[in-house]
Amino acid sequence: MASDLLFASVALGIVAALLYSVLISQVLSRSVFERLADRSPNAIVVTTLGILLFLSEASRIAADTHDLWLPPMLAQPVLFAQGAGFKVTLTVIQLLDCAAVMAMVAVAAWLFSHSRFGRAWRAVSDDPKAAAMCGIDVTAVFRRAVLYGGFCAAFAGMLAGIYYGNISFGTGLVYGLKILFVTAVGGYMSPLKAALGAAAFGMAESLWAGYFPLEWRDGWIYLFLVAMLVLIGAGRDQAKVA
């Protein structure tokens, strides 16, 4: 009975999170982002970080600065290999999270490359004025892009919340900064490249936690991402000039 109530509560929270992401995406798209779409890309990045801080503080006030934790769910280990003194295992929730993320990335990559909206999205990203002259509704594409982005953010938060048992009011800032750097390094125009960049980032974090002092992990990882962003960004700029 208690487990049924727990899963029902989690399901209700997931539905509420998805509906909230749709609402906030539409509000931000129409009232904030559309007015900055024809300006420097940095304007949207800075505005996004400002909104992230606002939402984090609103979450802190709503939660009265308390963290709410879920009990472990689907934490049964699945044994993959066993040797002298160690076991290679993953929990059920880890396997489900990995499968869900890979499915989401695969669907996004296919839609981005083969669907009509994906082609329109790339055209608007390359040159919105030329896309408008070709008959593409730039405003509609922009709004749908923000909506899909909000859905992906809610989906990722849902997976992280179920896995860790908690998403506190300060977690969004850490995740937001990491995602900003990872996607910038991996590339904004390819979901697969962005996903590979995120996977490499996660592997680097795990290796650092295993072999080096944990308190220095985020500092060195951020430094590495900034260096990669500068080097890759310089290469992209040279390619554009050429």
Side-chain angles (χ1 to χ4, degrees):
M1 181 66 181
S3 60
D4 293 339
L5 182 60
L6 173 62
F7 281 104
S9 301
V10 171
L12 178 61
I14 291 173
V15 173
L18 294 176
L19 293 177
Y20 174 77
S21 68
V22 171
L23 174 63
I24 197 67
S25 297
Q26 290 298 303
V27 171
L28 293 177
S29 175
R30 295 172 184 269
S31 61
V32 179
F33 292 136
E34 286 184 16
R35 302 180 183 182
L36 303 174
D38 57 347
R39 301 184 183 181
S40 170
N42 292 331
I44 291 185
V45 173
V46 173
T47 303
T48 302
L49 292 177
I51 293 172
L52 187 152
L53 294 174
F54 173 80
L55 293 178
S56 298
E57 185 64 13
S59 300
R60 184 192 68 80
I61 295 173
D64 197 20
T65 321
H66 292 152
D67 282 342
L68 304 176
W69 290 88
L70 293 171
M73 293 185 295
L74 303 177
Q76 300 84 359
V78 178
L79 181 64
F80 287 91
Q82 184 174 1
F86 72 93
K87 296 180 180 180
V88 179
T89 64
L90 287 175
T91 61
V92 175
I93 189 60
Q94 287 175 327
L95 292 173
L96 291 177
D97 278 0
C98 291
V101 169
M102 288 189 291
M104 177 65 74
V105 171
V107 171
W110 186 89
L111 291 176
F112 204 69
S113 301
H114 297 85
S115 69
R116 180 178 180 182
F117 174 72
R119 292 190 292 270
W121 191 342
R122 285 181 291 162
V124 172
S125 299
D126 289 339
D127 193 333
K129 293 182 178 179
M133 293 176 63
C134 293
I136 297 176
D137 189 344
V138 175
T139 301
V141 171
F142 185 84
R143 290 177 180 176
R144 288 182 64 183
V146 175
L147 178 62
Y148 290 161
F151 173 80
C152 290
F155 185 75
M158 174 193 71
L159 295 180
I162 294 176
Y163 174 64
Y164 291 109
N166 167 265
I167 291 293
S168 68
F169 47 84
T171 307
L173 179 60
V174 178
Y175 284 173
L177 289 175
K178 290 180 179 179
I179 291 170
L180 177 64
F181 280 113
V182 168
T183 52
V185 172
Y188 294 106
M189 297 299 294
S190 174
L192 288 177
K193 290 182 179 179
L196 289 175
F201 177 81
M203 184 64 69
E205 277 196 329
S206 299
L207 291 175
W208 182 280
Y211 294 97
F212 300 101
L214 185 61
E215 59 270 16
W216 290 99
R217 182 189 65 183
D218 286 344
W220 281 104
I221 289 296
Y222 282 131
L223 180 61
F224 172 74
L225 286 175
V226 170
M228 290 292 294
L229 182 59
V230 171
L231 295 175
I232 293 177
R236 289 173 182 168
D237 292 339
Q238 292 175 1
K240 290 180 180 179
V241 173

